Amino acid sequence: MKKTKNLVIALIVAAVLIALVPLFALKGAEFGGSDDAGSVMIEEITGSYEPWFTPVLETMIDGELPGEVESLFFCLQTGIGVGIIAFCMGRLVERKKWADNGENV
């Protein structure tokens, strides 16, 4: 029991360090998206960059989406994806349990 308690405490400390160290180690760092970094790099190489298309929602509202809305959509996509993966994994685990008990799936 003591070994498990020590392991849990060590994992909690590691999680806190993983969350806090980047805040202090990366002062002045800019966190941007890969789309922005890609367009900047293409512009440096070729001298000009023209996007092929504009996002559908931006054409519907005649402007750029606020960063908060983009983050909301990203979080929704992540939540839906995690839900689907968790559901499928749960079904696979339950299917194995049912198969071990001799029940029809």
Side-chain angles (χ1 to χ4, degrees):
M1 184 70 167
K2 184 169 172 83
K3 185 177 180 182
T4 305
K5 184 178 178 182
N6 289 340
L7 178 64
V8 169
I9 291 171
L11 290 174
I12 290 173
V13 169
V16 169
L17 286 175
I18 288 172
L20 292 180
V21 167
L23 293 176
F24 298 110
L26 299 174
K27 293 210 187 251
E30 292 184 21
F31 298 100
S34 60
D35 294 339
D36 295 335
S39 62
V40 168
M41 187 59 75
I42 291 171
E43 200 164 300
E44 286 179 10
I45 294 171
T46 63
S48 65
Y49 173 69
E50 178 86 26
W52 292 354
F53 61 93
T54 57
V56 175
L57 287 176
E58 288 182 8
T59 58
M60 292 171 78
I61 63 168
D62 293 328
E64 193 170 318
L65 287 173
E68 295 85 6
V69 176
E70 288 180 358
S71 295
L72 171 69
F73 286 143
F74 182 76
C75 291
L76 282 173
Q77 288 176 337
T78 304
I80 291 169
V82 167
I84 291 170
I85 291 171
F87 176 79
C88 293
M89 290 177 67
R91 288 287 294 176
L92 291 173
V93 169
E94 288 299 314
R95 181 179 292 171
K96 181 164 177 22
K97 286 181 184 177
W98 290 336
D100 291 344
N101 291 336
E103 297 177 17
N104 289 335
V105 178

